[in-house]
């Protein structure tokens, strides 16, 4: 019996009744399948490496963001300030500044301040003491010795501890000469003008002082007011002493009599800080209530613009009077400020020293000497022999 062998083609498939399928592959087909599987494996490896790269990149970015973000909640991160500034270490002021003593406001003195965080001690000394403002009122007018008097008074005021305000009042117009003198003194000043007709007034100084009082009242200056005429002589101790005045202070003034032959004393008789009587040597002035010279008292400026504080019976403005007899301007003015001696203070206590002098040395009718005006230049000839 003859047998026939037939080679099956690679694509030939046999189907059986049970539905099972078998494929018979040739060697060349096996090579193709192996190539496809290697290609698929390489593609899978490429995809896995790509996924790994992206995963690493995501984790790197996430770690960088978390590393830069501050610790805390979202609100803390929003309110925090990023800065590369190098700040010094924090110093505990309460622990380190144990040597700093802060006394009462009326005598503030700080001895030393220590800042150990800076690596060295910084010692600072402060000489600040709260002082009352001194308001020195000076009426002046054009005359031969005006510049001399103003400069002499300014030399004293420059030595007085601040604060001090010099109120200078002229008649009718502020002269350039007076303004130039005031600018060069180095003293804080205000240059005022009294616009009064000279024919209608008896005492020029009364109206000039009233202009200063109106200025103090209008601007509510808080301090001690003192009337200092430019031709008087003052000690430095006087200005330092009147700072301690609460309401009204007074002291004796040495005066040269009109005859220029003797000196008299006018002012209070004191027992400690109390005023118990008055010095006076002129019979014509014995009818005065208070025997005080215009430069022999000072008072608190708030009396002018705060009557409720001092329980004044009336709110009428306090001014000097020009319609009274000569020599009574002082007492009529003081009667508007105090009721009696119980409201006065002795300066200095006991009135033991004379602090200013009223010498009446003003020469009336003096004009500038004609020799001061030189029409031609003088040629100085110096002999060498």
């Amino acid at each position: 019996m003859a047998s026939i062998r037939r080679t099956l083609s690679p694509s030939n498939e046999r189907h059986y009744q049970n539905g099972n399928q078998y494929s018979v592959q040739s060697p060349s087909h096996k090579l193709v399948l192996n190539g496809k599987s290697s290609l698929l494996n390489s593609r899978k490896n490429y995809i896995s490496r790509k996924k790994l790269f992206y995963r690493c990149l995501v984790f790197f970015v996430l770690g960088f963001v978390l590393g830069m973000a501050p610790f805390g909640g979202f609100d803390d991160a929003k309110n925090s300030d990023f800065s590369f500034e190098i700040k010094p270490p924090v110093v505990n002021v309460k622990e380190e500044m144990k040597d700093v003593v802060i006394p009462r406001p009326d005598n503030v003195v700080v001895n030393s301040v220590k800042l150990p965080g800076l690596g060295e001690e910084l010692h600072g000394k402060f000489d600040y003491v709260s002082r009352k403002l001194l308001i020195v009122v000076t009426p002046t007018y054009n005359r031969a010795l005006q510049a001399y008097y103003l400069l002499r008074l300014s030399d004293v005021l420059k030595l007085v501890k601040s604060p001090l305000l010099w109120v200078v009042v002229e008649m009718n117009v502020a002269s350039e000469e007076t303004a130039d003198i005031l600018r060069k003194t180095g003293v804080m000043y205000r240059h005022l003008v009294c616009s009064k007709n000279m024919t209608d007034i008896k005492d020029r100084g009364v109206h000039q002082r009233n202009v200063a009082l109106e200025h103090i009242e209008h601007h509510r200056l808080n301090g001690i007011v003192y009337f200092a005429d430019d031709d008087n002589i003052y000690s430095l101790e006087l200005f330092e002493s009147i700072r301690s005045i609460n309401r009204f202070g007074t002291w004796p003034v040495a005066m040269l009599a009109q005859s220029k032959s003797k000196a008299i004393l006018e002012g209070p008789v004191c027992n400690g800080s109390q005023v118990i009587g008055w010095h006076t040597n002129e019979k014509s002035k014995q009818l005065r209530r208070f025997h005080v010279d215009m430069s022999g008292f000072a008072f608190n400026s708030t009396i002018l613009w705060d009557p409720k504080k001092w329980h004044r019976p009336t709110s009428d403005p306090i001014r000097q009077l020009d319609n009274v007899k000569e020599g009574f301007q002082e007492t009529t003015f003081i009667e508007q400020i105090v009721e009696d001696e119980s409201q006065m203070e002795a300066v200095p206590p006991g009135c033991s020293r004379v602090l200013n002098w009223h010498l009446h040395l003003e020469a009336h009718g003096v004009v500038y000497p004609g020799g001061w005006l030189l029409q031609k230049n003088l040629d100085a000839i110096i002999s060498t022999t």
Side-chain angles (χ1 to χ4, degrees), residues 7 14 37 52 68 75 99 117 131 141 200 229 279 299 302-303 308 339-340 369 377:
T7 304
R14 291 184 179 181
S37 63
L52 180 62
M68 292 298 295
D75 295 335
D99 297 334
R131 304 184 185 95
Y141 61 97
D200 298 335
D229 292 343
H279 293 288
F299 61 95
T302 58
I303 298 177
K308 293 182 179 180
E339 297 177 356
D340 52 32
N377 294 330

Side-chain angles (χ1 to χ4, degrees), residues 172-184:
N172 300 324
V173 64
S175 64
E176 295 181 1
E177 293 80 5
T178 303
D180 184 63
I181 292 174
L182 296 177
R183 283 193 296 266
K184 295 178 179 179

Side-chain angles (χ1 to χ4, degrees), residues 161-225:
K161 295 180 180 179
S162 61
L164 182 143
L165 175 63
W166 191 15
V167 181
V168 181
V169 187
E170 284 194 287
M171 289 298 301
N172 300 324
V173 64
S175 64
E176 295 181 1
E177 293 80 5
T178 303
D180 184 63
I181 292 174
L182 296 177
R183 283 193 296 266
K184 295 178 179 179
T185 58
V187 179
M188 183 173 64
Y189 71 92
R190 294 187 183 180
H191 193 183
L192 307 181
V193 176
C194 177
S195 301
K196 285 284 186 178
N197 191 349
M198 293 293 293
T199 59
D200 298 335
I201 62 177
K202 292 171 53 179
D203 191 337
R204 175 189 60 252
V206 169
H207 295 276
Q208 290 176 287
R209 297 185 191 98
N210 284 340
V211 169
L213 294 176
E214 293 174 2
H215 182 82
I216 296 170
E217 180 179 349
H218 176 73
H219 294 280
R220 293 179 174 265
L221 301 181
N222 190 354
I224 303 299
V225 181

Side-chain angles (χ1 to χ4, degrees), residues 98-167:
K98 294 181 179 180
D99 297 334
V100 178
V101 179
I102 304 178
R104 296 181 302 174
D106 57 348
N107 188 15
V108 178
V109 178
V110 180
N111 291 328
S112 63
V113 177
K114 295 181 179 180
L115 300 176
L118 299 178
E120 60 179 352
E121 295 184 358
L122 301 179
H123 299 281
K125 295 185 178 180
F126 303 91
D127 187 24
Y128 174 77
V129 178
S130 178
R131 304 184 185 95
K132 293 182 180 178
L133 171 67
L134 292 184
I135 307 172
V136 181
V137 177
T138 301
T140 187
Y141 61 97
N142 295 330
R143 60 196 190 279
L145 300 178
Q146 180 189 17
Y148 166 73
Y149 290 143
L150 290 176
L151 290 173
R152 184 178 64 180
L153 178 56
S154 67
D155 288 340
V156 179
L157 298 181
K158 283 190 294 186
L159 301 177
V160 180
K161 295 180 180 179
S162 61
L164 182 143
L165 175 63
W166 191 15
V167 181

Side-chain angles (χ1 to χ4, degrees), residues 244-365:
S244 61
I245 294 175
N246 181 35
R247 176 170 183 159
F248 181 92
T250 182
W251 55 90
V253 178
M255 306 176 63
L256 187 64
Q258 295 292 341
S259 62
K260 307 293 191 298
S261 61
K262 63 178 180 179
I264 59 177
L265 194 65
E266 187 173 53
V269 177
C270 308
N271 181 16
S273 60
Q274 297 180 349
V275 177
I276 59 176
W278 302 96
H279 293 288
T280 182
N281 292 322
E282 298 184 26
K283 296 181 180 180
S284 61
K285 297 182 179 180
Q286 291 181 358
L287 298 177
R288 294 187 302 173
R289 176 65 180 86
F290 303 112
H291 300 268
V292 187
D293 184 72
M294 189 64 72
S295 62
F297 66 91
F299 61 95
N300 197 311
S301 65
T302 58
I303 298 177
L304 300 175
W305 48 266
D306 193 1
K308 293 182 179 180
K309 177 181 179 181
W310 303 100
H311 306 287
R312 285 176 51 199
T314 178
S315 59
D316 295 337
I318 298 176
R319 300 291 185 269
Q320 293 189 7
L321 304 178
D322 188 30
N323 56 358
V324 296
K325 190 177 179 179
E326 184 181 359
F328 283 77
Q329 288 89 354
E330 296 89 347
T331 184
T332 55
F333 178 76
I334 296 174
E335 289 172 7
Q336 302 175 63
I337 301 176
V338 297
E339 297 177 356
D340 52 32
E341 287 81 357
S342 63
Q343 297 179 343
M344 297 183 178
E345 307 165 39
V347 179
C351 302
S352 56
R353 293 185 300 278
V354 175
L355 302 179
N356 65 302
W357 295 261
H358 192 177
L359 301 180
H360 298 286
L361 296 179
E362 182 69 28
H364 299 283

